[in-house]
Amino acid sequence: MGNDLLAKFIAKRILATVIILFVTSIFIFVITNMMPGDAIDLMLGGLSLQSVGQETVAQLRAQLGLDLPLYQQYLHWLVALLQGDLGTSYIFNAPIAPIISERIYNSLLLAVPAIMIMIVVGLVSGVVSAINEGKKIDHSISFLGILMLSIPEFLIGTVFIYIFAVQLNWIPAAFNTIDTDSMSVWQSMTTYFKVLIFPSLTIAFGSIAYVSRQTRASMIEELKSNYVRTALLKGVPYKRVVWVHALKNGLLPTVTVIAFNIGQIIAGTVIVEVVFSYPGIGNLIIMALNQRDIPLILATMMIISLIYVISNLAADILYSRLNPKISYS
Amino acid sequence: MKNNSVLMFLKRMPNKLIFGTVVVISLLIISIFAKQIAPYDANMMYYDHLKELPSKDFWLGTDRFGRDILSRVIVGSQSTLFIALISTMIALFFGSVIGVYVAYYGGKIDAFIMRCNDVLMSFPSLVFAMLVIGILGASTVTAIIAIAVIYIPRTMRVIRSQALNIVNLEYIDAAKVSGESVSYIIFKEIMPNLWPTIIVEGSIRLGYAILLTASLSYIGLGPPPPTPDWGLMAYTERAYMLDNPWPVFVPCIAIIITVITINIFGEGLKDLLLIKHSRSKGL
C-alpha cells in the first residue's frame, strides 16, 4: 500500500474523468444539434427566407460552418474549445467566454457561501444529534432534516422574497438590479451580508440535511469506540473529546458527502437564480435554451458538466487519501 | 389462520409505514377523483371574485383570474403526481431490467453500460432535465421522458449492486447447470429477491421525482399554462404575491405535504423490507 499505488489510482481516475468529459462533449454536441431550427433561423428573426434570398442564407451558413457534416462541426468546436474559445453567442452577438466568466463569478458568489453554510450547519447539527442520540433534540433534528429534504428550493426562496422583499422591503424582489462589478470589495461584502445571504441560505437548505445525517451516523459510531472511552477516562473534557478527537475521525465519510453534494448545490443555484431573478449561470442556461442559442447552450452545459465531474473526482481522491482502508482497484 | 397472519403483518408494520400508506392512498384517491371532489371547475374564471382571500365560497381564495385555488390545487395534483409516478415507474422498469442483465452477464457489457452511466450522470439531474426538455420542447410528455432518462442510470446502479450479490449465489449456478434459460433465471430466480430493493428504491425516487417535477414546472419546463400544476401555479402567481400570497403558498404546501408523506412512507418501507440488509446509498 505505497504511495505508488495511490498515485496510480489517482492517475487512473483522472484519465477516466477526461474520457467521460470527452464522451460528454460528443453527447451534448449531438443532442443540441438535434434541436429543430438552427442559428440561421434565429438570426433571421421573423424574416422569411425569400425576403433575404437563398444566396445570403447559403453564404451565412458557410460562414458559420453550418454546411459542414456534423462530425467536422464537432471537431472545429472541440479544437476551439480546447484553445479556450467558447464561440460566439447569437443572442448577445458577442464572444461567450467573457459572458460566461462573469455569470460564473456571480453564481460562485452565491454557491461558495452556500457550501460553507451547508458544512457548518450540517456538521454542528449532526454532532449535536449524535451526542443526544435518541433524545428529543435528536428526533427534532432528524424531523427537521426530512422536512428540509421535502421542501422545494423555490418555496424557501419565495418565502424569503415574500417576507424580506414584499413585506419588509429589505431586499429587492429582483436581484438583477444589483451591480456587483462596480462595487469595491468592502461594498460587495456588506451587500453580500445584507442581500445575497438569502439566496445562499436557500441553496444551502436542501443539502444541509445530507451532511447532518452522515455526520450523525459516523459520530455515533465514533463515540462508541475505545479511544473515546480511553480519552474520557483519562479525564479529557467531554466537549474536547467530541469536537476534537471524535469529530476528526467522524469527518471522513462526511467529506465525501459534502463533495458529492456539489451537484445538489449547482441545481439549487439554477432554481434560486430564477426565483431571485439573479444574473448567474443558471439563468443564462435557461435563456440560451429558450432562445435556442446553440453555441451558448454547448458552452454552459460543458462548464456545468466540468464543474460537476471535477468535484466528483475530488470527492473520490479525497476519500482515498483519507481512508487507508480503501483498495485502489 | 389467515386472519392471524394478516394481523401479525400489521403488527410488524412500523408506524411510519401505516401513517405513510394512509396519507399516500388518500392523496391518490383525491387525485384520481379530483374533478368530482373539486368544488369548482379548475379553469373557470369568476371575474367578480379576483384575488380574493379565503372565504366561505372560495375556501382558499381565488387567483388573479378569479379561479378557485382549492379546485386548482386538487386538480393540479393530477399533473404533478402523474408526471412523477409514470417517470418513476419507467425508470424503475428499465433500471431494474438493465441492472439485472448487466449484473448477470458482467464483463464487457457491464463495463460498457456502466461507462454510459457515468456519462449520463455527469450532469446534475436538474440541468440534464433542462437540456432534454429544451431540445424536445416543454410538455407533460417531455417532462416524463426527461425525469425517466435521469433516473434510469441512478436506479440501475442501485439495482445492479444488489443483483451482483445474488448472481454469484449457488442456486443461480444450479439453475444454470440444470439448463434454465437466461430470461427464466433473470425474471424467476433473481428478480423475486430484488423486489424489496426495487420497491424501496421506487419510493425514494418518487419523492425526488415530485420535487424535480415541481421545480421543472416552476422554471417553465413542465406542462404549459393554464394547466393546473403545482409548480406552475407557484410560478405564474408569484408576481402578484403582494396582493394575495395564497395562490403561491397553497400549491407549495401541497408539494411539501406530498413529498414528506412519501418520504415517511419510503422510510417505513425500508424499515419493513430491508431492515436486515445493509443497503448502499443510491443518490
Side-chain angles (χ1 to χ4, degrees), chain B residues 16 32 46 75 84 90 98 183 188 234 244 266 272 279:
Chain B
K16 282 182 204 164
I32 292 168
Y46 297 92
V75 179
I90 295 174
I98 301 173
S183 55
K188 290 276 153 89
N244 184 1
L272 180 73
R279 181 172 162 281

Side-chain angles (χ1 to χ4, degrees), chain A residues 174-251:
Chain A
F175 279 48
N176 47 11
T177 50
I178 301 170
D179 182 15
T180 43
D181 295 335
S182 58
M183 288 179 193
S184 67
V185 178
W186 177 245
Q187 266 178 323
S188 57
M189 289 268 283
T190 47
T191 320
Y192 183 81
F193 280 106
K194 264 166 46 196
V195 172
L196 297 184
I197 192 82
F198 294 102
S200 283
L201 274 175
T202 314
I203 298 170
F205 206 79
S207 321
I208 290 173
Y210 290 106
V211 179
S212 169
R213 270 188 186 184
Q214 183 59 56
T215 312
R216 175 183 179 275
S218 52
M219 280 301 281
I220 285 177
E221 223 161 83
E222 293 300 326
L223 289 175
K224 283 183 186 140
S225 61
N226 288 332
Y227 73 88
V228 166
R229 205 179 46 192
T230 313
L232 283 174
L233 290 176
K234 269 170 65 186
V236 182
Y238 184 66
K239 275 191 179 154
R240 201 179 142 73
V241 173
V242 171
W243 291 98
V244 179
H245 295 194
L247 187 59
K248 211 165 133 195
N249 292 308
L251 220 52

Side-chain angles (χ1 to χ4, degrees), chain A residues 17-277:
Chain A
T17 306
V18 171
I19 295 172
I20 286 179
L21 277 173
F22 175 65
V23 182
T24 305
S25 73
I26 299 178
F27 178 73
I28 303 176
F29 193 86
V30 171
I31 61 171
T32 310
N33 276 288
M34 276 164 31
M35 280 192 170
D38 63 9
I40 305 296
D41 300 327
L42 189 78
M43 291 171 117
L44 290 179
L47 299 174
S48 69
L49 277 178
Q50 281 76 23
S51 65
V52 186
Q54 285 297 336
E55 276 166 42
T56 328
V57 172
Q59 213 178 352
L60 259 175
R61 221 173 261 277
Q63 210 176 357
L64 292 168
L66 292 172
D67 52 344
L68 298 172
L70 198 59
Y71 77 92
Q72 281 191 10
Q73 287 187 38
Y74 170 73
L75 287 178
H76 285 168
W77 173 71
L78 186 67
V79 169
L81 185 71
L82 292 176
Q83 290 168 346
D85 175 14
L86 294 171
T88 309
S89 156
Y90 300 138
I91 39 177
F92 290 98
N93 204 5
I96 292 174
I99 302 173
I100 282 203
S101 59
E102 188 199 324
R103 293 294 186 118
I104 287 209
Y105 172 76
N106 284 348
S107 291
L108 285 179
L109 218 55
L110 299 187
V112 172
I115 294 173
M116 294 198 287
I117 296 170
M118 163 182 94
I119 294 174
V120 172
V121 180
L123 279 181
V124 171
S125 64
V127 173
V128 168
S129 40
I131 303 173
N132 299 295
E133 192 197 346
K135 290 190 200 149
K136 259 194 185 139
I137 299 185
D138 181 26
H139 287 306
S140 15
I141 289 179
S142 83
F143 176 74
L144 267 181
I146 293 188
L147 197 69
M148 285 165 113
L149 286 178
S150 315
I151 300 182
E153 277 112 352
F154 64 79
L155 172 61
I156 313 289
T158 314
V159 170
F160 277 145
I161 290 204
Y162 184 69
I163 297 174
F164 296 104
V166 176
Q167 296 293 339
L168 298 173
N169 226 341
W170 285 5
I171 55 173
F175 279 48
N176 47 11
T177 50
I178 301 170
D179 182 15
T180 43
D181 295 335
S182 58
M183 288 179 193
S184 67
V185 178
W186 177 245
Q187 266 178 323
S188 57
M189 289 268 283
T190 47
T191 320
Y192 183 81
F193 280 106
K194 264 166 46 196
V195 172
L196 297 184
I197 192 82
F198 294 102
S200 283
L201 274 175
T202 314
I203 298 170
F205 206 79
S207 321
I208 290 173
Y210 290 106
V211 179
S212 169
R213 270 188 186 184
Q214 183 59 56
T215 312
R216 175 183 179 275
S218 52
M219 280 301 281
I220 285 177
E221 223 161 83
E222 293 300 326
L223 289 175
K224 283 183 186 140
S225 61
N226 288 332
Y227 73 88
V228 166
R229 205 179 46 192
T230 313
L232 283 174
L233 290 176
K234 269 170 65 186
V236 182
Y238 184 66
K239 275 191 179 154
R240 201 179 142 73
V241 173
V242 171
W243 291 98
V244 179
H245 295 194
L247 187 59
K248 211 165 133 195
N249 292 308
L251 220 52
L252 173 69
T254 311
V255 169
T256 23
V257 171
I258 290 170
F260 281 123
N261 258 300
I262 302 294
Q264 189 79 19
I265 297 271
I266 297 174
T269 312
V270 172
I271 296 286
V272 165
E273 282 174 11
V274 177
V275 177
F276 288 91
S277 315

Side-chain angles (χ1 to χ4, degrees), chain B residues 73-112:
Chain B
V73 166
I74 291 175
V75 179
S77 66
Q78 285 183 335
S79 151
T80 311
L81 289 182
F82 180 75
I83 295 176
L85 258 178
I86 300 289
S87 54
T88 309
M89 276 153 69
I90 295 174
L92 271 187
F93 176 77
F94 285 104
S96 28
V97 171
I98 301 173
V100 175
Y101 263 91
V102 296
Y104 181 78
Y105 281 111
K108 277 187 181 149
I109 301 174
D110 183 33
F112 175 73

